[in-house]
Amino acid sequence: MHRYTFFTAIFALNLLYLQIALSGAEVPEQASMKLKAYPASILLCGKDSSGLVVVQKLLNTAGVETTGKQLTEGLPIASADPAIAVWKEGRIHAVADGKTELLVQADGSDALHIPIQVQGTGEPRRWQFDAHVQSVLTRAGCNSGACHGALAGKGGFRLSLRAYDSIADHFTMTRQDRGRRIEPADPGRSLLLAKPTTLIPHKGGLRLEEGSADYRLLAEWIAGGAVGPQESDAKLLSVEVLPSAIELAKDNTQQLIVRAAYSDGRVDDVTQWAKFNSANEAVVRVDENGRVQVVGNGKGGVVASFSSRVAISSVVVPYESTLSPTAYQDFQPRNLIDTAMLAEWQSLRLAPSSKCDDATFLRRAYLDTTGTLPTVAQVKAFLGDNRSDRRDRVIEELLSSDAFVDYWSYKWSDLLLVNGTLLRPDAVASFYKWIRQNVEKNTPWNEFCKQIVLARGESMTDGATNFYAIHQDPESLTENTCQAFMGLSIGCAKCHNHPLEKWTNDQYYSMANLYARVRAKGWGGDSRNGDGQRTLLVLERGDLIQPSRGKPQIPSALDAEPIDINATGDRREALAEWLASPENPYFSRAIVNRVWANFMGVGLVESVDDLRVSNPASSDRLLGELAQFTIDNRYDLKAVMRLILQSQTYQRSAQAIPGNEHDNRFYCRYYPRRLMAEVLHDSIVTVTGVPSKFTEIEFPGADKSPTKDYPEGTRSLELHDSAVANYFLKTFGRHQRRITCDCERSDQPTVIQVLHLNNGTTINEKLSSPESIVGRWMKEGLPLEEVIDQAYLAALSRSPSNEERSKILALVADADKENVARRESFEDVLWSLMTSPEFLFAH
């Protein structure tokens, strides 16, 4: 008999766990119409100033008032006093100083009265370099990376990328090459205008229409003396996008408004200068003018960036499903997770799947919490337990188990890059030992991270100091601290302001200067023979020079208050306090997101390392509430895990139903996912009963590299070093621990993986081993039906169905007729189960 025959039979049976049902229906009508205007009040500052206004329909979704479809076009809208402000072409325009109202009326709704204040129209408009000139050039793309914002510039003209260095840009425009780029007496002849309008040949093409509002702005600025950035200029305080949250339907359109608030009290409509991007193009798309087009269902977002500030408008597009009146009847919220997700499902018209059965829950909880399969005895005991709190009891057993410590020590070793290619073997062992001890003690996450940031002393006795051996300069320490502990990638800000986030080049070097005084001495011998012994210490003096400024920045952690640059204490104390404080929202949200992704398969923010403002969570409410729960529970990660495991949301079936078949971000069912490489390998070892041998390469890449064997019986999740050569782990995408990014791990299927499961040595050699479970079955003379039961309980944590049992009995009977050895049939049964989706996936 061929294993392919068994594989096909069992594969077909186990596909039941991954089936998807399809359905579709019409969108129900909304309640009676109410209106809301954005902005709620209007301030126009200066002659010729204007602003967009949009009027939206208000909806009542699941008892919550929500902003709905835009209704501006076609509505009767007018200014109460056209002598002060006039409504024209979707904008309100300043005429003279004073106060008035914008009146909006629609059939079946109350009239809207939008207050308008106009000021400064009697004074000449003073264009500011930062607020206005740089905004025009950024919107036109002149300082983009593809144009003059490139490292070497273009055509001898170089600007800072997206205007991050206004002082240098002003010099380049007005003083470099004897100021040839501007002509104050005749602005139209200025290269700054003649080139982008193509009056003079321009390789960048047409970037500015002659006579447009932006053209006039630049011309007036040049004619007024081309004044650069001034200390007296109003500072940009904040940027907002309106509406900030909208519920739309498929094919709806929406105009967004971007407003900038300045320190002098003015609020400018800067929509015409903002840059727009969609955070989820499967749901919404947006053009360069902020016009949104809905293309799909789910949750999307539009990111608006202006002058290194970012704001986002979230867009909810409910699924086109007709839910039965009993869709939520069987879902009884147990904790804050369930309450938040039920609200999300109702707003999106998604139905939750039913609760998973006990066998499924047991296997799922074991894999997600400890990376192990339950034993046959554990499965039988659990399924035979009739107590109503049996699931909670299992959760507590798992959270207090040694396997939990192994699994999460391994996970945090991935995060912290415990890797023999970056550290010497003794240093690797020291770092891993420190991590494991803290996981075993259940050290609060804030204390765990603070100990790493503040580490000092000997690398062999204080394992946390090895974080500084992996990242040895202030810049890499800054980037990896932000990535590991806050899910923030700020590497772009090393050279210029971050193009997609608010982080500036100055902020980057302010934070890096907190690490400027950290030093290490000693290596314990040369790089080949040393043990990695280092002593980490902190100097009392020293600063990091910011290349673009030629001087150090005042030390400060991102959003924190700066500290005295001349103080002699350990600057890292200020960093550690801010990093792990409740006032730093990134810290608690980042760890909650990582833990959530481990249990639910998909992070609330995806990817888990990418907590940008421009990458919104699938449920910002839940992410915020979980973060606050973590703070309230003093960063006890076991409390967070318990909350997730006990939730009705986590305990949903993986089976899709009509009403949630299209969902892949809102957790109304459990998402099947392939086991990570180490867990899959250990599961094979557990089922077959045959351990693997692991050999550590002590100096990878060196000639005749010495090796060291791990003790027999060591599991993959007990390997403290990623520099262990193992074909299976490499093939199935284990974390390489080279960079701080979850992308280092892969769960993508490949042909090589399929071939290895079918013909490779890992499963086949273990099955044929005399020490395998099959060998024990043969020695004990177990009857075929008992073997089938044992195989299913060991591999799939459940008993076989009658249909499965009958099919396997028939296949073995056919094999007997062909004189196939009974041991080979037993091996084939187990091989078929271990290569089935039900074994390979968590579900």
Side-chain angles (χ1 to χ4, degrees), residues 420-700:
T421 64
L422 304 174
L423 297 169
R424 299 275 67 84
D426 289 346
V428 167
S430 174
F431 200 3
Y432 176 79
K433 179 181 178 182
W434 179 87
I435 293 170
R436 198 180 194 287
Q437 286 174 341
N438 280 279
V439 173
E440 191 169 26
K441 291 188 297 184
N442 195 33
T443 300
W445 183 249
N446 60 337
E447 292 300 323
F448 181 91
C449 297
K450 286 169 71 173
Q451 287 180 42
I452 293 174
V453 171
L454 294 173
R456 63 166 71 197
E458 303 294 330
S459 59
M460 296 300 108
T461 55
D462 187 345
T465 61
N466 289 289
F467 182 77
Y468 289 84
I470 296 170
H471 316 294
Q472 296 185 12
D473 58 78
E475 293 90 342
S476 62
L477 282 164
T478 296
E479 292 175 23
N480 285 280
T481 297
C482 290
Q483 189 77 78
F485 304 136
M486 294 186 287
L488 297 176
S489 178
I490 68 167
C492 290
K494 181 178 181 179
C495 300
H496 47 73
N497 291 354
H498 201 296
L500 299 175
E501 289 297 297
K502 68 177 184 176
W503 312 120
T504 67
N505 184 243
D506 289 347
Q507 284 180 299
Y508 178 98
Y509 278 96
S510 287
M511 183 161 174
N513 206 11
L514 293 167
Y515 282 119
R517 297 176 180 177
V518 179
R519 297 290 186 276
K521 63 180 183 180
W523 284 95
D526 62 40
S527 60
R528 177 66 62 85
N529 300 313
D531 58 6
Q533 179 75 38
R534 287 161 45 100
T535 302
L536 195 73
L537 49 91
V538 180
L539 305 180
E540 292 188 350
R541 302 288 178 189
D543 287 296
L544 176 67
I545 302 300
Q546 181 181 5
S548 63
R549 306 287 191 203
K551 61 180 182 180
Q553 283 288 332
I554 297 175
S556 171
L558 294 186
D559 285 336
E561 292 296 319
I563 63 174
D564 184 358
I565 195 170
N566 296 312
T568 58
D570 188 349
R571 291 173 173 175
R572 299 178 306 164
E573 292 179 1
L575 171 60
E577 284 304 314
W578 173 80
L579 175 70
S581 73
E583 284 68 42
N584 174 12
Y586 303 103
F587 182 73
S588 54
R589 289 165 77 94
I591 188 55
V592 159
N593 195 48
R594 290 187 188 278
V595 171
W596 179 269
N598 174 83
F599 287 93
M600 303 302 293
V602 178
L604 288 162
V605 175
E606 273 292 318
S607 64
V608 295
D609 307 284
D610 192 15
L611 265 66
R612 310 176 260 122
V613 173
S614 52
N615 183 31
S618 58
S619 176
D620 194 65
R621 169 186 169 176
L622 179 56
L623 183 59
E625 290 184 3
L626 283 174
Q628 188 58 51
F629 177 87
T630 305
I631 294 168
D632 294 343
N633 284 271
R634 300 185 179 184
Y635 298 93
D636 179 358
L637 296 189
K638 281 190 179 182
V640 180
M641 296 174 191
R642 181 180 296 109
L643 191 76
I644 295 172
L645 287 162
Q646 289 181 344
S647 71
Q648 293 296 310
T649 303
Y650 176 78
Q651 297 184 23
R652 294 301 92 194
S653 168
Q655 182 73 44
I657 62 172
N660 72 23
E661 65 274 15
H662 301 299
D663 167 45
N664 57 13
R665 285 299 306 276
F666 303 106
Y667 316 103
C668 47
R669 56 188 169 87
Y670 186 88
Y671 305 132
R673 62 190 186 276
R674 205 211 70 202
L675 303 182
M676 75 183 208
E678 298 86 343
V679 173
L680 181 55
H681 180 275
D682 288 350
S683 297
I684 293 171
V685 170
T686 298
V687 173
T688 61
V690 180
S692 293
K693 179 180 179 182
F694 294 106
T695 300
E696 177 181 338
I697 303 175
E698 297 197 8
F699 300 104

Side-chain angles (χ1 to χ4, degrees), residues 782-796:
L782 289 185
L784 176 56
E785 291 212 8
E786 179 64 21
V787 167
I788 295 172
D789 285 339
Q790 291 283 325
Y792 268 81
L793 289 169
L796 306 182

Side-chain angles (χ1 to χ4, degrees), residues 758-819:
N758 191 41
N759 302 316
T761 58
T762 304
I763 293 180
N764 290 320
E765 287 188 358
K766 291 183 186 302
L767 286 174
S768 61
S769 168
E771 306 302 320
S772 75
I773 189 174
V774 179
R776 293 198 294 275
W777 288 340
M778 294 300 295
K779 289 179 181 178
E780 295 171 6
L782 289 185
L784 176 56
E785 291 212 8
E786 179 64 21
V787 167
I788 295 172
D789 285 339
Q790 291 283 325
Y792 268 81
L793 289 169
L796 306 182
S797 305
R798 67 173 178 87
S799 297
S801 68
N802 291 334
E803 181 184 358
E804 289 167 330
R805 186 190 305 276
S806 298
K807 182 158 287 195
I808 292 176
L809 287 171
L811 289 169
V812 173
D814 291 342
D816 288 344
K817 293 176 183 177
E818 297 174 11
N819 296 320

